[in-house]
Amino acid sequence: MNTAQDICVTSLEAMKVYAPGELTQSANNADLQRMLSLLNGMLDGWSTESLMTFATQQLQATLVPASASYTIGSGGVINVTRPQDITRGTGVAYVQDPSGNNYPFQFVTKAEWNMIGNRTVNSNVPDTGYYDQQFPLGVVNVFPTPSLNWVLFFEAMLQFAQFATLASVVSLPPGFFEALWSNLALVAKPFFKSRQPMDPDLKEFAREAKAKIKRVNMKTPVAAVDTAIVSRAAPTYNIYTDNR
């Protein structure tokens, strides 16, 4: 299993700061700690790129009667890690009544949310939500205002965890190791004075390594169309039955 130190060492060697096998943790701990900090910073940035996040996390929240807004984040009403964003689309979210029955629920954009004329309406079945990405606590808004203790289930982009130490094991899908060390080399280059220039092919290698991950993570959208508004061709005449 690869560790955070393996990523840092490979990046330093790719930058030609150290020759292969030259670097040891005990002798160059300051350089490795700097690389670990830069690695965690890069992962933090990758959490904002939807196609770099390889999975979504299903979250849930119990809705309170007469309450239409819920803070979300560490210490919020929904006490979880603040989502970078909540996934939108048909079938992604749903609400469950106290009897265990599921009903459709969909998160919409700010523009669609603003088009709701009267958001003070109460209903037995909330069906629309809007995520206000405030910081440090986001706000989940629901409409209509629930009158029962519904449970809302929704998906959020999974954020990358930070490497606590250099010995932390890399537990990520295939393709991430080469993307991590190659892109870390580009990020860390300004912090180190190497005696040799960086290989000009490294930037292209790093770009392609990220592109491969994004191609795997890209989901094909499936259109949902109301059958009531879909036109149908007129039936053809049947010469055997003398009707359509």
Side-chain angles (χ1 to χ4, degrees):
M1 297 290 289
N2 292 309
T3 64
Q5 180 173 330
D6 294 328
I7 296 171
C8 296
V9 169
T10 306
S11 294
L12 287 167
E13 293 175 352
M15 290 188 290
K16 299 181 173 59
V17 175
Y18 293 93
E22 179 184 355
L23 186 63
T24 61
Q25 182 175 358
S26 58
N28 304 282
N29 189 58
D31 286 349
L32 288 171
Q33 289 299 329
R34 164 63 75 177
M35 293 294 287
L36 179 64
S37 176
L38 293 172
L39 174 60
N40 282 328
M42 186 178 72
L43 286 173
D44 185 60
W46 283 10
S47 291
T48 67
E49 300 182 43
S50 59
L51 290 180
M52 288 302 294
T53 55
F54 58 89
T56 56
Q57 180 181 20
Q58 187 178 68
L59 304 174
Q60 68 180 71
T62 300
L63 305 182
V64 179
S67 180
S69 297
Y70 305 83
T71 56
I72 182 170
S74 180
V77 174
I78 308 174
N79 189 18
V80 297
T81 301
R82 173 189 172 275
Q84 185 69 24
D85 199 4
I86 289 176
T87 307
R88 293 189 292 271
T90 303
V92 176
Y94 63 94
V95 288
Q96 188 176 85
D97 68 15
S99 299
N101 300 306
N102 297 338
Y103 296 84
F105 189 95
Q106 185 166 333
F107 280 90
V108 298
T109 64
K110 179 64 177 295
E112 292 171 309
W113 181 255
N114 289 341
M115 293 300 292
I116 299 176
N118 182 2
R119 294 198 291 266
T120 63
V121 174
N122 295 326
S123 171
N124 285 336
V125 187
D127 58 17
T128 304
Y130 165 63
Y131 178 47
D132 188 352
Q133 295 165 284
Q134 298 182 28
F135 186 84
L137 295 177
V139 180
V140 174
N141 301 281
V142 299
F143 172 84
T145 303
S147 55
L148 296 174
N149 288 114
W150 294 87
V151 179
L152 171 62
F153 294 86
F154 58 98
E155 290 185 355
M157 291 195 316
L158 185 67
Q159 298 185 34
F160 290 99
Q162 302 284 287
F163 291 112
T165 67
L166 288 164
S168 298
V169 174
V170 180
S171 181
L172 290 168
F176 269 89
F177 181 74
E178 69 174 24
L180 285 167
W181 73 254
S182 58
N183 283 274
L184 178 59
L186 301 183
V187 171
K189 178 64 176 176
F191 294 87
F192 293 89
K193 291 184 178 180
S194 174
R195 291 169 291 182
Q196 301 182 47
M198 182 179 291
D199 187 335
D201 293 332
L202 181 58
K203 181 178 291 187
E204 178 60 23
F205 181 89
R207 185 200 66 79
E208 180 59 25
K210 284 187 70 176
K212 286 190 291 187
I213 292 173
K214 291 183 177 184
R215 285 194 291 269
V216 171
N217 291 340
M218 184 177 294
K219 306 295 190 299
T220 302
V222 179
V225 181
D226 190 338
T227 56
I229 63 174
V230 177
S231 62
R232 296 177 174 82
T236 57
Y237 175 72
N238 189 323
I239 61 173
Y240 299 105
T241 60
D242 193 30
N243 59 31
R244 293 182 182 275

